[in-house]
Amino acid sequence: MSAQFMRRSIRISVRLTEEEHRLLKEKMARIGVTNQEAFLRKMALDGLVIRLDLPELKQMISLLRYTSNNINQIAKRLNESGRAYDTDLAEILEKQKQLWGLANKILMKLSAIQ
């Protein structure tokens, strides 16, 4: 039987002080977890729970979509007329610089995780 369908039959009980319980709830809220049992199980088995909050990643995905759309439009224009405009290429280069900047910010945040 796969681990996914095995029933959890062993119960472990833990007592906390009011302060410990407050800290537990605070940590759960900070990473956006509401299931206390799942949180405690994950911490007990893996010893670590990380929730990444990277708004730069959302910006990066948006820029990638925008740039991909522009490249497709330029390719279509090239196929139809054989022409590309300097402004189109300059805009793509600018978006590429922004993408590299966001990638650098993301990498810096990831490298700061201990």
Side-chain angles (χ1 to χ4, degrees):
M1 184 183 293
S2 74
Q4 176 181 353
F5 296 108
M6 290 175 48
R7 186 165 168 82
R8 291 186 174 102
S9 59
I10 299 172
R11 181 171 197 69
I12 297 176
S13 179
V14 177
R15 293 186 182 272
L16 302 175
T17 65
E18 291 289 329
E19 177 65 11
E20 290 169 334
H21 189 249
R22 185 190 64 74
L23 288 171
L24 173 67
K25 292 292 188 183
E26 188 178 290
K27 285 184 179 189
M28 288 174 56
R30 191 170 41 232
I31 63 169
V33 173
T34 57
N35 185 327
Q36 183 172 294
E37 186 176 333
F39 177 80
L40 291 171
R41 184 181 313 109
K42 183 75 172 160
M43 290 300 293
L45 296 175
D46 297 339
L48 181 63
V49 176
I50 296 175
R51 179 174 182 256
L52 298 176
D53 184 23
L54 297 171
E56 295 87 355
L57 192 55
K58 289 180 183 178
Q59 290 176 304
M60 193 172 185
I61 291 168
S62 179
L63 271 173
L64 283 169
R65 285 185 183 133
Y66 177 85
T67 305
S68 296
N69 189 38
N70 277 4
I71 290 170
N72 287 336
Q73 290 174 2
I74 292 168
K76 183 179 177 186
R77 191 177 320 119
L78 277 170
N79 287 331
E80 291 172 353
S81 68
R83 298 181 70 179
Y85 300 107
D86 289 340
T87 55
D88 291 334
L89 299 177
E91 186 175 6
I92 288 174
L93 288 174
E94 177 57 34
K95 297 298 180 194
Q96 187 177 18
K97 285 181 187 176
Q98 290 176 18
L99 284 168
W100 279 112
L102 289 169
N104 190 41
K105 283 183 181 179
I106 292 168
L107 289 173
M108 294 298 284
K109 283 188 172 184
L110 290 174
S111 68
I113 295 174
Q114 296 179 3

